């Protein structure tokens, strides 16, 4: 998996995507995407709610040579639960994350692993009322 990364606040994520669009990284990652998961990925790690900080990577699933300007990260094999995200971004994504944390994990016996979860941006128009995307969380 190829990644383009930056740490910062939650509110910095849209600016980070804008920067990645402007500098050609989104286009490059889209062209490199040859994995099972179609669309670009937003990988999250080290969320600190108190400080509103998170490590965030924009990625594409890829098998092959690693361009020198990108990092290669491999997520270990795991059991994943995939949550449907319906509606326009960012509201639908934020609401789904809230439901995962406040409802889904509390209502079953699963726990998240220490593998970073990720958002899969599948729909070509993320702002449509019925846009479809996903959140993937590794579980144990």
């Amino acid at each position: 998996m190829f990644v383009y990364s930056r740490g910062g606040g939650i509110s910095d994520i849209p600016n980070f995507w804008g920067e990645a669009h402007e500098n050609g990284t989104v286009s490059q990652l889209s062209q490199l995407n040859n994995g099972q998961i179609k669309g670009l990925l937003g990988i999250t790690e080290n969320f600190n709610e108190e400080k509103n900080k998170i490590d965030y990577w924009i990625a594409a699933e890829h098998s092959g040579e690693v361009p020198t300007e990108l990092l290669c990260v491999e997520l270990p094999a795991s059991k994943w639960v995939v949550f449907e995200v319906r509606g326009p971004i960012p509201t639908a994504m934020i609401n789904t994350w809230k439901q995962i944390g406040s409802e889904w994990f509390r209502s079953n016996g699963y726990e998240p692993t220490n593998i970073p979860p990720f958002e899969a941006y599948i729909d070509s128009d993320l702002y449509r009322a019925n846009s479809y995307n996903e959140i993937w969380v590794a579980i144990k």
Side-chain angles (χ1 to χ4, degrees):
M1 180 177 306
F2 293 150
V3 299
Y4 178 62
S5 68
R6 179 162 98 185
I10 301 294
S11 60
D12 290 339
I13 293 173
N15 293 335
F16 183 45
W17 276 96
E19 174 188 304
H21 275 282
E22 287 176 21
N23 69 21
T25 301
V26 164
S27 178
Q28 181 183 22
L29 288 171
S30 294
Q31 291 173 13
L32 291 168
N33 186 335
N34 65 2
Q36 293 179 329
I37 302 171
K38 300 305 174 200
L40 295 183
L41 310 176
I43 303 173
T44 59
E45 189 172 39
N46 300 323
F47 176 60
N48 183 322
E49 187 173 6
E50 189 175 293
K51 294 182 179 180
N52 192 35
K53 294 283 186 186
I54 195 165
D55 291 335
Y56 190 86
W57 307 318
I58 298 172
E61 188 178 11
H62 179 80
S63 178
E65 295 257 342
V66 179
T68 57
E69 67 276 12
L70 297 175
L71 301 173
C72 182
V73 172
E74 291 189 35
L75 298 179
S78 183
K79 180 186 276 188
W80 295 83
V81 61
V82 180
F83 298 92
E84 292 183 352
V85 179
R86 300 246 180 219
I89 301 300
T91 307
M93 195 65 73
I94 292 167
N95 291 341
T96 304
W97 274 116
K98 287 178 182 177
Q99 286 181 306
I100 292 167
S102 66
E103 297 173 23
W104 195 83
F105 278 111
R106 292 179 187 205
S107 67
N108 62 67
Y110 293 107
E111 295 178 31
T113 67
N114 62 351
I115 299 170
F118 61 86
E119 304 159 348
Y121 295 98
I122 299 166
D123 203 308
S124 61
D125 182 354
L126 300 175
Y127 302 99
R128 290 185 312 128
N130 60 347
S131 178
Y132 175 82
N133 299 284
E134 298 171 341
I135 294 175
W136 289 56
V137 180
I139 57 172
K140 55 183 173 179

